[in-house]
Amino acid sequence: MRNVLLNINALLIAGLILFTGCAKEEVTDVATNGLTRTEMDTQLDAFISDLETQAAVYAEENPRDFYGDQAKSPDFLRFNTLREALRVTGLDAAVLGGGITVFCPSDRAFGNIGLTPQNVAGTAGLADILLYHVVGANVFSGDLSNGYVPTLNGAAVNINLGAGGHVLELPQVNDA
């Protein structure tokens, strides 16, 4: 599984996306605050739309992070598989709550391990894959330093800020 996760080219948005802080066991039990499934879907769609807007702005300002031409790699800027994965695991309630940091995998990252919105529901261990991308605290890019950071699935990701150890470029997580 480590090799599969190392191959995920997770798109990190400057400022990182924030979610609800809780222990691994509590993430799947986050209350929906009385929202209906339709209301949760609407809010999740708005969240994903905002994420895609932020990704497009970042890509326009930093084309070198998209191999020089983001137009050739639109799946770097889309998060449809993430949306569906959050829905089917029930982790969308945590996303809508705010307060934890998530390294959001793009459609390209999911595609690298063979996942699409159409087949993600049948993926064994999907919640653990998602929780591997979650740090249980608010972490902003300026708070990052080189080294390992524990994730909510119990593993750790390796943060690499490059030469000098400051966030001058897009941080790397496990070489992605």
Side-chain angles (χ1 to χ4, degrees), residues 86-156:
L86 291 168
R87 283 182 179 141
V88 301
T89 59
L91 293 174
D92 53 345
V95 169
L96 299 175
I100 57 181
T101 302
V102 174
F103 306 113
C104 294
S106 66
D107 285 353
R108 165 72 54 95
F110 279 112
N112 286 343
I113 60 171
L115 297 178
T116 67
Q118 293 75 31
N119 71 6
V120 74
T123 303
L126 182 59
D128 274 340
I129 291 171
L130 292 175
L131 292 174
Y132 181 74
H133 293 81
V134 179
V135 176
N138 286 336
V139 181
F140 298 94
S141 59
D143 298 332
L144 294 172
S145 60
N146 288 325
Y148 287 90
V149 176
T151 66
L152 290 183
N153 84 343

